[in-house]
Amino acid sequence: MSLFLPYSDDTLIQVDNIHGHPFVSHLAGILMRTFSNHQPLPVSAHTMDQSPASLFESYSHDFQQLVNKLTFQLETESKGLTGEPLKALIRRSEAELEEGEEIISQMEVELPSIPQSIRSKYTLNFKSYKAQLEKLRKQFRDAKQAVLRSDLLGNTDASLRDDPYSDSPTDYSQRTRLLQGTERLADGSRRLEESHRLALETESVGADILRNLRGQREQIEHSRDVLASADTSIDRASGTLKKMIFRMYQQHFLTYGIIAILVFLIIIVVWGKLKG
């Protein structure tokens, strides 16, 4: 009897005489060990029902399991751990927190698709889940800071225990690192002081620039007032000139009229004398 087994995505291998074949025996052992270490998955209504509400319920179930696990790790399991085991627990908790954030994002995607009549209940649950996740984030940050603080204090204590008169290479290396750290701190302090001095100088230059700008603004405003006054004077002078020109034309017309009348009278007088 022959058996075809998958070897890769597009390749099958044929095994002849499967009874007693070493490959088949090895494969059967692997399958038995695999299924003996895994419990069968329960078949529930959520497995078949893919409605938004059912998916939300499924995510809620997964999230609650994750919350319970993280709570146990951060509040109970971490109390008795130190050193590398505690760091491993922190890294595992960080990965599970990221998984929780992913579940929350999936819930947020499914929430608008839930019918309006039952959405309010799921909205309240969603807000509660977000609050639980935020609480776990805070506990994780506190635990992580405790680990960092413990490492720092451990390194400091080790440095303080160094014997300054010891000839040990390890003690010498630690003293050297301590001196280098002190030099770096002093250098950082000098740089901070220099930066502070430059900031004060920059502030002084900025204040001078602002004062100059204020003075220039006052000059510009004064020039604008002078220009406005000059504009008013020019308008007044223009009106006066227009009146003078009008009166000049009026006097010219009057003079021409008087001359015309005199010429007419002279003509009449001369014509009367010539006729008489």
Side-chain angles (χ1 to χ4, degrees):
M1 181 179 180
S2 299
L3 176 65
F4 291 92
L5 298 175
Y7 180 73
S8 63
D9 293 340
D10 55 355
T11 306
L12 294 175
I13 60 174
Q14 180 180 0
V15 179
D16 297 325
N17 191 14
I18 63 174
H19 297 290
H21 197 281
F23 177 78
V24 175
S25 301
H26 179 66
L27 178 62
I30 292 175
L31 292 175
M32 290 179 65
R33 287 194 299 271
T34 302
F35 286 104
S36 63
N37 294 330
H38 292 80
Q39 297 179 356
L41 295 175
V43 179
S44 62
H46 301 304
T47 306
M48 302 300 296
D49 189 359
Q50 295 297 322
S51 64
S54 300
L55 289 175
F56 192 92
E57 291 287 351
S58 177
Y59 292 141
S60 301
H61 179 71
D62 296 340
F63 182 77
Q64 287 299 332
Q65 289 183 343
L66 189 63
V67 166
N68 295 334
K69 184 177 180 181
L70 279 171
T71 302
F72 175 76
Q73 290 178 176
L74 296 175
E75 294 182 358
T76 305
E77 188 177 356
S78 62
K79 301 300 182 183
L81 297 177
T82 57
E84 287 301 325
L86 181 57
K87 293 179 181 179
L89 179 66
I90 292 298
R91 290 192 294 269
R92 189 166 66 251
S93 299
E94 185 176 9
E96 290 169 353
L97 267 178
E98 293 177 357
E99 182 180 353
E101 292 174 356
E102 180 66 23
I103 294 175
I104 286 293
S105 63
Q106 292 294 334
M107 289 184 187
E108 190 173 7
V109 170
E110 296 296 335
L111 190 60
S113 302
I114 298 176
Q116 188 71 29
S117 57
I118 59 174
R119 189 184 302 171
S120 58
K121 180 184 72 172
Y122 291 99
T123 302
L124 292 176
N125 292 338
F126 178 72
K127 292 180 180 178
S128 175
Y129 297 152
K130 289 188 71 174
Q132 292 179 13
L133 184 63
E134 186 60 32
K135 180 181 177 181
L136 289 173
R137 284 199 196 100
K138 185 178 182 302
Q139 292 178 351
F140 172 75
R141 287 194 297 268
D142 294 340
K144 191 172 183 180
Q145 289 176 0
V147 171
L148 294 175
R149 189 162 52 248
S150 177
D151 290 343
L152 181 61
L153 291 176
N155 294 333
T156 303
D157 293 340
S159 299
L160 292 176
R161 288 194 299 268
D162 292 343
D163 185 6
Y165 302 102
S166 174
D167 295 332
S168 173
T170 304
D171 294 339
Y172 178 77
S173 177
Q174 291 176 352
R175 288 196 300 272
T176 302
R177 289 197 299 269
L178 183 60
L179 290 174
Q180 290 176 352
T182 304
E183 291 176 357
R184 285 196 294 269
L185 286 175
D187 186 59
S189 299
R190 287 193 297 271
R191 291 181 181 179
L192 286 175
E193 292 176 357
E194 183 69 18
S195 301
H196 182 64
R197 185 181 63 80
L198 291 176
L200 291 177
E201 292 179 357
T202 305
E203 183 180 2
S204 176
V205 172
D208 292 338
I209 293 174
L210 288 176
R211 283 193 294 269
N212 293 332
L213 290 175
R214 188 178 296 109
Q216 293 177 4
R217 178 183 177 183
E218 292 176 356
Q219 292 177 359
I220 291 172
E221 290 179 350
H222 178 69
S223 301
R224 184 180 62 185
D225 295 338
V226 171
L227 288 175
S229 178
D231 190 23
T232 304
S233 300
I234 290 172
D235 291 339
R236 190 181 301 113
S238 177
T240 303
L241 287 174
K242 289 179 180 179
K243 290 180 181 179
M244 292 174 62
I245 292 172
F246 177 75
R247 288 178 181 177
M248 182 185 68
Y249 288 145
Q250 188 178 15
Q251 290 176 358
H252 286 174
F253 288 139
L254 183 61
T255 302
Y256 292 151
I258 292 172
I259 292 172
I261 291 172
L262 290 175
V263 170
F264 180 72
L265 291 176
I266 291 171
I267 292 173
I268 293 176
V269 170
V270 173
W271 182 73
K273 287 183 178 181
L274 290 176
K275 188 176 179 181

